[in-house]
Amino acid sequence: MGCWILTEKLSVLLLLVWLGLNFYLFIDTFHWYEDDNAYIYTRIMLGVSMTLRRQLDKNITFHKMVAYGIALNATIHIVAHSINIERYHSSQSKEAGELRNKLSGLGKSPNESYLNPIRTYETNTTGQILTTIAGITGVVITVALILIMTSSTELIRRSCYEVFWYTHHLFVVFFTGLIIHGMGQLVRGQTPKSLLLHNVTYCKDHYWEWENATQCPLPQFSGNKPVAWKWVLSPMVLYISERIVRFWRFQQEVIITKVVTHSSGVLELHMKKLGFKMGAGQYVFLQCPSVSQLEWHPFTLTSAPEEDYFSVHIRVVGDWTAALFKAFGAEEKAFKEFIMPKILAVDGPYGSATTDIFHYPVSVCIAAGIGVTPFASILKSIWYKCGNPNTVYFYWICRDPSAFEWFADLLFHLETKMAEKWKNDFLSYHIFLTGWDESQATHIALHCDDKMDVITGLRQKTCYGRPNWDNEFKQLAENHPSNSIGVFFCGPKALSKILQKTCNSYSSVDPRGVQFHYHKESF
């Protein structure tokens, strides 16, 4: 637990600040409705729960947590309003009591203002509320929120990313409706002028004297002015500013210098852009206007900062990437390389967890499948720098042998350079193949070579099956008993959880001992 807090201290601090701010705003608004004299008669009619609905109204993890908070608060808001409407309705019944009946009857004469929006006991409450601004906008923003939340599930994101992308932009409808929602003024309080003339402390217990006693004129009520815009303004200004910056970046010309299609179904793009500066392990957002004018997708850079171009490797995993392949004429799965001009917009680069790899004397890089892309950039940068960090351990777990094709060239160059520099211990890498068929196994057996791996052509032999992480981390801890070791992972969440747990298990309780610091980029 202590290691996790140290690793995630900034994220924890931001989360606590956000939760603390929300808690403060809730308590402040709660006391406003609970203690203000303007809402004494409102509390008599509705009770205390009306105050609850008013306020409970890193990175993607933080974004999701905010979304869960919005969904929870919206649910409480809706439930509390449903209770309020029922209490408004019951206040029109004879069983409600004389004071609540008298308050509910206000507003029938021209010089009176109403407190109860349900005007008679026979009124259809659902129909009545749905004719108000608060009711209509409430339904609209609730539907928008449901669509946003349901389309954000992992199943929808992976199978129909476009559905997720477009429905997420219903946030415009959500926030617009939220700003208008308060104009309905469904919950009303006594006006400041009425509070000066109407002695509420005395009059609430002597309601039969209303209009007859000087200190008890009929109370006047009104709703509060909408305040939701104050909550929405700052985030919307930031969002619009970000969109303006992105639009400016979109206008900058991107030159595609090379397009390579690999037999493993991976598209490699080499690009140049004026003033583009990147760091190892960073990512960019790509947009192809011929595919979609609105969609931007993140891709990890596979080139090194030391190279005179930047590149990405894209695997077909959905409609957008399939359309991109088609746009670049890369449908065939045979290796092909050509140069062509094509319109492509690039936004970035942006940082990622793997950029911290150079901060550790010992680094462990673990990739699963296409998750190897950020490490391509890092290993290339290490190749150019030749020696920083001091020691690198690289693990790649892959299901399909053809996926090794494009990355094996990089590892081959690293092997060659290490041999030339007499630094064979600098990079220790292990490749694990988890899927193969009988014909592949026969080929491996017949072409066994002591000096070169049959699949990759590298000196390091491919391992078959999955790594035993307990054994691997135990060996790392023994090799570096007093080091801080950075563990960097890019791959599926299930494996990420296993690795994080293993890092915590093998970190020494003694701060002077070995410490594994876990960093992840799940996809």
Side-chain angles (χ1 to χ4, degrees), residues 5 26 39 52 84 156 175 181 188 215 218 230 259 263 314 324 356 377 397 410-412 429 488 495 505 513:
I5 291 175
F26 168 76
Y39 293 93
L52 293 175
N84 288 344
I156 298 296
F175 284 114
H181 187 59
R188 297 161 67 85
Q215 60 181 336
L218 281 178
K230 296 178 182 178
V259 178
S263 58
I314 302 170
L324 186 70
D356 293 331
S377 174
I397 304 101
L410 170 61
L411 293 176
F412 178 77
Y429 64 92
F488 300 87
L495 181 53
S505 299

Side-chain angles (χ1 to χ4, degrees), residues 276-292:
F276 187 89
K277 295 181 180 180
M278 61 165 288
Q282 291 188 308
Y283 66 94
V284 294
F285 284 93
L286 297 184
Q287 184 217 45
C288 184
S290 62
V291 175
S292 172

Side-chain angles (χ1 to χ4, degrees), residues 339-405:
I339 298 175
M340 62 179 298
K342 204 75 178 178
I343 297 176
L344 200 66
V346 177
D347 182 27
Y350 296 97
S352 66
T354 52
T355 57
D356 293 331
I357 193 169
F358 298 103
H359 298 163
Y360 295 94
V362 179
S363 294
V364 180
C365 303
I366 304 171
I370 198 65
V372 75
T373 50
F375 301 115
S377 174
I378 289 166
L379 291 178
K380 281 183 181 180
S381 188
I382 292 172
W383 172 21
Y384 283 107
K385 293 178 180 179
C386 196
N388 185 18
N390 296 332
T391 306
V392 179
Y393 295 88
F394 176 66
Y395 296 84
W396 189 14
I397 304 101
C398 204
R399 184 179 299 172
D400 185 3
S402 63
F404 295 128
E405 173 199 354

Side-chain angles (χ1 to χ4, degrees), residues 95-121:
E95 293 79 13
E98 293 184 13
L99 178 57
R100 290 175 68 186
N101 281 160
K102 191 170 185 66
L103 289 168
S104 297
L106 294 175
K108 294 179 179 178
S109 301
N111 63 333
E112 297 176 2
S113 59
Y114 73 90
L115 175 61
N116 191 342
I118 306 299
R119 304 310 299 148
T120 66
Y121 187 70

